Tab-separated table of all heavy atoms in Angstrom:
chain	number	residue	atom	x	y	z
A	35	ARG	N	-8.169	-11.842	12.308
A	35	ARG	CA	-7.186	-11.787	11.234
A	35	ARG	C	-5.787	-12.184	11.738
A	35	ARG	O	-4.863	-12.243	10.969
A	35	ARG	CB	-7.171	-10.280	10.680
A	35	ARG	CG	-8.529	-9.914	9.975
A	35	ARG	CD	-8.160	-8.671	9.162
A	35	ARG	NE	-7.302	-8.892	8.028
A	35	ARG	CZ	-7.659	-9.468	6.868
A	35	ARG	NH1	-8.852	-9.844	6.612
A	35	ARG	NH2	-6.647	-9.664	5.905
A	36	ALA	N	-5.652	-12.160	13.040
A	36	ALA	CA	-4.314	-12.617	13.565
A	36	ALA	C	-4.161	-14.085	13.694
A	36	ALA	O	-3.101	-14.618	13.899
A	36	ALA	CB	-4.185	-11.981	15.046
A	37	GLU	N	-5.339	-14.919	13.482
A	37	GLU	CA	-5.212	-16.305	13.715
A	37	GLU	C	-4.192	-17.020	12.716
A	37	GLU	O	-3.470	-17.947	13.152
A	37	GLU	CB	-6.550	-16.949	13.590
A	37	GLU	CG	-7.480	-16.597	14.738
A	37	GLU	CD	-6.834	-16.922	16.141
A	37	GLU	OE1	-6.335	-18.023	16.251
A	37	GLU	OE2	-6.779	-15.940	16.956
A	38	PRO	N	-4.107	-16.654	11.535
A	38	PRO	CA	-3.155	-17.303	10.614
A	38	PRO	C	-1.701	-17.073	11.110
A	38	PRO	O	-0.746	-17.909	10.901
A	38	PRO	CB	-3.281	-16.643	9.224
A	38	PRO	CG	-4.684	-16.262	9.172
A	38	PRO	CD	-5.035	-15.789	10.709
A	39	LEU	N	-1.446	-15.872	11.783
A	39	LEU	CA	-0.179	-15.594	12.211
A	39	LEU	C	0.074	-16.507	13.540
A	39	LEU	O	1.271	-16.994	13.720
A	39	LEU	CB	-0.014	-14.052	12.683
A	39	LEU	CG	0.445	-13.135	11.639
A	39	LEU	CD1	1.829	-13.519	11.187
A	39	LEU	CD2	-0.538	-13.093	10.408
A	40	ARG	N	-0.860	-16.654	14.294
A	40	ARG	CA	-0.763	-17.555	15.516
A	40	ARG	C	-0.358	-19.022	15.002
A	40	ARG	O	0.433	-19.671	15.472
A	40	ARG	CB	-1.990	-17.585	16.376
A	40	ARG	CG	-1.812	-18.306	17.699
A	40	ARG	CD	-3.218	-18.533	18.258
A	40	ARG	NE	-4.026	-17.459	18.459
A	40	ARG	CZ	-3.994	-16.576	19.515
A	40	ARG	NH1	-3.160	-16.769	20.480
A	40	ARG	NH2	-4.830	-15.622	19.582
A	41	ALA	N	-1.030	-19.377	13.941
A	41	ALA	CA	-0.797	-20.777	13.370
A	41	ALA	C	0.615	-20.782	12.847
A	41	ALA	O	1.221	-21.979	12.741
A	41	ALA	CB	-1.793	-21.063	12.281
A	42	ALA	N	1.241	-19.742	12.381
A	42	ALA	CA	2.447	-19.707	11.812
A	42	ALA	C	3.574	-19.502	12.844
A	42	ALA	O	4.763	-19.517	12.537
A	42	ALA	CB	2.668	-18.568	10.781
A	43	GLY	N	3.181	-19.408	14.109
A	43	GLY	CA	4.174	-19.407	15.171
A	43	GLY	C	4.452	-18.032	15.874
A	43	GLY	O	5.069	-17.863	16.789
A	44	ALA	N	3.606	-16.993	15.342
A	44	ALA	CA	3.766	-15.744	15.919
A	44	ALA	C	2.914	-15.645	17.308
A	44	ALA	O	1.950	-16.400	17.407
A	44	ALA	CB	3.280	-14.649	15.033
A	45	GLU	N	3.275	-14.710	18.160
A	45	GLU	CA	2.389	-14.582	19.352
A	45	GLU	C	1.591	-13.478	19.144
A	45	GLU	O	1.920	-12.447	18.483
A	45	GLU	CB	3.447	-14.372	20.542
A	45	GLU	CG	4.267	-15.554	20.781
A	45	GLU	CD	5.245	-15.254	22.001
A	45	GLU	OE1	4.754	-14.491	23.021
A	45	GLU	OE2	6.282	-15.798	22.081
A	46	VAL	N	0.344	-13.543	19.686
A	46	VAL	CA	-0.687	-12.545	19.377
A	46	VAL	C	-0.918	-11.791	20.675
A	46	VAL	O	-1.260	-12.387	21.809
A	46	VAL	CB	-2.056	-13.217	18.973
A	46	VAL	CG1	-3.114	-12.118	18.776
A	46	VAL	CG2	-1.896	-14.007	17.707
A	47	ALA	N	-0.698	-10.489	20.639
A	47	ALA	CA	-0.896	-9.507	21.818
A	47	ALA	C	-2.345	-9.223	22.061
A	47	ALA	O	-3.138	-9.271	21.152
A	47	ALA	CB	-0.086	-8.320	21.530
A	48	ALA	N	-2.619	-8.853	23.261
A	48	ALA	CA	-4.005	-8.475	23.620
A	48	ALA	C	-4.306	-7.041	23.199
A	48	ALA	O	-5.436	-6.618	22.916
A	48	ALA	CB	-4.134	-8.511	25.085
A	49	ASP	N	-3.298	-6.219	23.062
A	49	ASP	CA	-3.452	-4.763	22.575
A	49	ASP	C	-2.082	-4.122	22.137
A	49	ASP	O	-1.070	-4.743	22.264
A	49	ASP	CB	-4.040	-3.993	23.728
A	49	ASP	CG	-3.223	-4.063	25.082
A	49	ASP	OD1	-2.001	-4.164	25.010
A	49	ASP	OD2	-3.755	-4.034	26.147
A	50	PRO	N	-2.165	-2.967	21.493
A	50	PRO	CA	-0.891	-2.481	21.009
A	50	PRO	C	0.126	-2.253	22.106
A	50	PRO	O	1.394	-2.368	21.865
A	50	PRO	CB	-1.346	-1.102	20.449
A	50	PRO	CG	-2.764	-1.307	20.020
A	50	PRO	CD	-3.347	-2.231	21.098
A	51	ALA	N	-0.313	-1.882	23.409
A	51	ALA	CA	0.643	-1.595	24.420
A	51	ALA	C	1.535	-2.904	24.670
A	51	ALA	O	2.669	-2.746	24.973
A	51	ALA	CB	-0.082	-1.233	25.677
A	52	GLU	N	0.902	-3.974	24.529
A	52	GLU	CA	1.682	-5.187	24.851
A	52	GLU	C	2.732	-5.416	23.702
A	52	GLU	O	3.889	-5.880	24.000
A	52	GLU	CB	0.725	-6.400	24.887
A	52	GLU	CG	1.442	-7.717	25.209
A	52	GLU	CD	0.550	-8.911	25.176
A	52	GLU	OE1	-0.660	-8.798	25.168
A	52	GLU	OE2	1.186	-10.154	25.089
A	53	VAL	N	2.386	-5.069	22.579
A	53	VAL	CA	3.311	-5.237	21.408
A	53	VAL	C	4.589	-4.315	21.697
A	53	VAL	O	5.677	-4.825	21.583
A	53	VAL	CB	2.690	-4.801	19.981
A	53	VAL	CG1	3.729	-4.840	18.941
A	53	VAL	CG2	1.560	-5.731	19.688
A	54	PHE	N	4.320	-3.115	22.111
A	54	PHE	CA	5.466	-2.215	22.333
A	54	PHE	C	6.330	-2.708	23.594
A	54	PHE	O	7.431	-2.539	23.610
A	54	PHE	CB	4.976	-0.762	22.576
A	54	PHE	CG	4.611	-0.091	21.274
A	54	PHE	CD1	3.314	-0.090	20.798
A	54	PHE	CD2	5.680	0.513	20.539
A	54	PHE	CE1	3.019	0.541	19.582
A	54	PHE	CE2	5.363	1.105	19.232
A	54	PHE	CZ	4.033	1.195	18.804
A	55	ALA	N	5.589	-3.295	24.460
A	55	ALA	CA	6.213	-3.681	25.704
A	55	ALA	C	7.160	-4.912	25.487
A	55	ALA	O	8.178	-5.016	26.154
A	55	ALA	CB	5.225	-4.135	26.840
A	56	ARG	N	6.899	-5.731	24.441
A	56	ARG	CA	7.663	-6.899	24.190
A	56	ARG	C	8.628	-6.732	23.027
A	56	ARG	O	9.450	-7.654	22.743
A	56	ARG	CB	6.589	-8.074	23.897
A	56	ARG	CG	5.764	-8.349	25.234
A	56	ARG	CD	4.876	-9.396	24.827
A	56	ARG	NE	5.431	-10.699	24.592
A	56	ARG	CZ	4.913	-11.850	24.063
A	56	ARG	NH1	3.612	-11.713	23.975
A	56	ARG	NH2	5.606	-12.777	23.760
A	57	ALA	N	8.564	-5.656	22.282
A	57	ALA	CA	9.298	-5.619	21.051
A	57	ALA	C	10.208	-4.346	21.074
A	57	ALA	O	9.865	-3.294	21.509
A	57	ALA	CB	8.412	-5.553	19.797
A	58	GLU	N	11.368	-4.576	20.443
A	58	GLU	CA	12.386	-3.363	20.345
A	58	GLU	C	12.002	-2.597	19.069
A	58	GLU	O	12.271	-1.377	19.044
A	58	GLU	CB	13.780	-3.782	20.419
A	58	GLU	CG	14.248	-4.389	21.691
A	58	GLU	CD	15.685	-4.839	21.682
A	58	GLU	OE1	16.242	-4.897	20.522
A	58	GLU	OE2	16.258	-4.998	22.757
A	59	VAL	N	11.600	-3.255	18.077
A	59	VAL	CA	11.270	-2.654	16.824
A	59	VAL	C	9.747	-3.105	16.491
A	59	VAL	O	9.417	-4.224	16.641
A	59	VAL	CB	12.090	-3.207	15.644
A	59	VAL	CG1	11.698	-2.631	14.278
A	59	VAL	CG2	13.574	-2.858	15.950
A	60	VAL	N	8.902	-2.059	16.176
A	60	VAL	CA	7.510	-2.277	15.845
A	60	VAL	C	7.268	-1.792	14.532
A	60	VAL	O	7.426	-0.580	14.246
A	60	VAL	CB	6.627	-1.621	16.910
A	60	VAL	CG1	5.119	-1.920	16.583
A	60	VAL	CG2	6.924	-2.122	18.367
A	61	LEU	N	6.792	-2.696	13.680
A	61	LEU	CA	6.400	-2.355	12.310
A	61	LEU	C	4.875	-2.013	12.262
A	61	LEU	O	4.024	-2.843	12.774
A	61	LEU	CB	6.747	-3.454	11.348
A	61	LEU	CG	8.097	-4.146	11.424
A	61	LEU	CD1	8.164	-5.253	10.365
A	61	LEU	CD2	9.222	-3.088	11.117
A	62	LEU	N	4.479	-0.858	11.722
A	62	LEU	CA	3.143	-0.527	11.529
A	62	LEU	C	2.675	-0.584	10.039
A	62	LEU	O	3.288	0.178	9.241
A	62	LEU	CB	2.955	0.944	12.144
A	62	LEU	CG	3.382	1.206	13.470
A	62	LEU	CD1	3.182	2.684	13.792
A	62	LEU	CD2	2.803	0.360	14.525
A	63	MET	N	1.720	-1.373	9.789
A	63	MET	CA	1.106	-1.482	8.393
A	63	MET	C	-0.398	-1.066	8.556
A	63	MET	O	-1.256	-1.993	8.477
A	63	MET	CB	1.401	-2.758	7.784
A	63	MET	CG	1.034	-2.775	6.252
A	63	MET	SD	2.107	-1.569	5.287
A	63	MET	CE	1.441	-1.820	3.640
A	64	LEU	N	-0.618	0.194	8.755
A	64	LEU	CA	-1.995	0.627	9.045
A	64	LEU	C	-2.649	1.446	8.002
A	64	LEU	O	-1.980	2.066	7.223
A	64	LEU	CB	-1.950	1.352	10.398
A	64	LEU	CG	-1.485	0.516	11.555
A	64	LEU	CD1	-1.083	1.458	12.775
A	64	LEU	CD2	-2.565	-0.467	12.017
A	65	ALA	N	-3.960	1.533	8.048
A	65	ALA	CA	-4.666	2.066	6.948
A	65	ALA	C	-4.663	3.577	6.720
A	65	ALA	O	-4.606	4.081	5.688
A	65	ALA	CB	-6.196	1.688	7.076
A	66	ASP	N	-4.521	4.246	7.843
A	66	ASP	CA	-4.557	5.744	7.810
A	66	ASP	C	-3.929	6.390	9.017
A	66	ASP	O	-3.426	5.671	9.972
A	66	ASP	CB	-5.971	6.307	7.570
A	66	ASP	CG	-7.032	5.636	8.677
A	66	ASP	OD1	-6.600	5.545	9.783
A	66	ASP	OD2	-8.105	5.497	8.317
A	67	GLU	N	-3.964	7.701	9.094
A	67	GLU	CA	-3.265	8.407	10.042
A	67	GLU	C	-3.923	8.280	11.525
A	67	GLU	O	-3.361	8.238	12.423
A	67	GLU	CB	-3.266	9.964	9.663
A	67	GLU	CG	-2.414	10.143	8.354
A	67	GLU	CD	-2.514	11.539	7.804
A	67	GLU	OE1	-3.198	12.340	8.446
A	67	GLU	OE2	-1.840	11.757	6.784
A	68	ALA	N	-5.360	8.166	11.361
A	68	ALA	CA	-6.087	7.953	12.635
A	68	ALA	C	-5.640	6.608	13.338
A	68	ALA	O	-5.584	6.539	14.602
A	68	ALA	CB	-7.571	8.062	12.421
A	69	ALA	N	-5.530	5.578	12.489
A	69	ALA	CA	-5.165	4.293	13.096
A	69	ALA	C	-3.665	4.388	13.650
A	69	ALA	O	-3.400	3.812	14.705
A	69	ALA	CB	-5.225	3.262	11.959
A	70	VAL	N	-2.743	5.059	12.989
A	70	VAL	CA	-1.359	5.172	13.517
A	70	VAL	C	-1.422	5.947	14.815
A	70	VAL	O	-0.831	5.531	15.773
A	70	VAL	CB	-0.537	5.909	12.547
A	70	VAL	CG1	0.912	6.149	13.077
A	70	VAL	CG2	-0.377	5.044	11.202
A	71	ASP	N	-2.151	7.045	14.846
A	71	ASP	CA	-2.263	7.776	16.130
A	71	ASP	C	-2.775	6.962	17.217
A	71	ASP	O	-2.310	7.024	18.425
A	71	ASP	CB	-3.203	9.058	15.925
A	71	ASP	CG	-2.492	10.142	15.121
A	71	ASP	OD1	-1.330	10.138	14.939
A	71	ASP	OD2	-3.248	11.136	14.753
A	72	ALA	N	-3.863	6.175	17.060
A	72	ALA	CA	-4.517	5.314	18.071
A	72	ALA	C	-3.467	4.306	18.573
A	72	ALA	O	-3.362	4.117	19.798
A	72	ALA	CB	-5.817	4.683	17.516
A	73	VAL	N	-2.772	3.682	17.661
A	73	VAL	CA	-1.818	2.608	18.034
A	73	VAL	C	-0.658	3.173	18.882
A	73	VAL	O	-0.206	2.587	19.876
A	73	VAL	CB	-1.378	1.892	16.826
A	73	VAL	CG1	-0.121	1.050	17.090
A	73	VAL	CG2	-2.489	0.939	16.292
A	74	LEU	N	-0.220	4.436	18.497
A	74	LEU	CA	0.905	5.034	19.196
A	74	LEU	C	0.492	5.717	20.451
A	74	LEU	O	1.334	5.937	21.324
A	74	LEU	CB	1.631	6.058	18.253
A	74	LEU	CG	2.359	5.513	17.035
A	74	LEU	CD1	2.882	6.554	16.169
A	74	LEU	CD2	3.470	4.499	17.442
A	75	GLY	N	-0.775	6.088	20.547
A	75	GLY	CA	-1.178	6.809	21.644
A	75	GLY	C	-0.767	8.259	21.582
A	75	GLY	O	-0.532	8.896	22.564
A	76	ARG	N	-0.717	8.801	20.405
A	76	ARG	CA	-0.180	10.159	20.215
A	76	ARG	C	-1.194	11.187	20.899
A	76	ARG	O	-2.453	10.979	20.890
A	76	ARG	CB	-0.215	10.530	18.693
A	76	ARG	CG	1.034	10.038	17.982
A	76	ARG	CD	1.143	10.494	16.590
A	76	ARG	NE	1.605	11.890	16.459
A	76	ARG	CZ	1.194	12.827	15.536
A	76	ARG	NH1	0.326	12.507	14.683
A	76	ARG	NH2	1.775	13.996	15.583
A	77	GLY	N	-0.643	12.152	21.521
A	77	GLY	CA	-1.419	13.201	22.268
A	77	GLY	C	-1.833	12.744	23.711
A	77	GLY	O	-2.561	13.368	24.298
A	78	THR	N	-1.296	11.602	24.063
A	78	THR	CA	-1.610	11.015	25.460
A	78	THR	C	-0.312	10.559	26.011
A	78	THR	O	0.740	10.448	25.401
A	78	THR	CB	-2.509	9.867	25.378
A	78	THR	OG1	-1.811	8.666	24.921
A	78	THR	CG2	-3.696	10.117	24.429
A	79	PRO	N	-0.288	10.426	27.370
A	79	PRO	CA	0.993	9.865	28.010
A	79	PRO	C	1.373	8.564	27.559
A	79	PRO	O	2.497	8.097	27.806
A	79	PRO	CB	0.515	9.785	29.571
A	79	PRO	CG	-0.525	10.837	29.695
A	79	PRO	CD	-1.273	10.731	28.415
A	80	ALA	N	0.373	7.789	26.921
A	80	ALA	CA	0.815	6.440	26.435
A	80	ALA	C	1.892	6.449	25.301
A	80	ALA	O	2.677	5.553	25.214
A	80	ALA	CB	-0.504	5.835	25.837
Side-chain angles (χ1 to χ4, degrees):
R35 294 198 65 85
E37 289 309 309
L39 272 299
R40 192 193 304 273
E45 298 181 29
V46 179
D49 53 35
E52 183 183 346
V53 177
F54 283 95
R56 298 178 59 190
E58 291 180 349
V59 178
V60 179
L61 312 180
L62 307 180
M63 191 62 181
L64 296 164
D66 53 33
E67 297 170 3
V70 174
D71 284 349
V73 161
L74 292 178
R76 283 187 78 210
T78 76

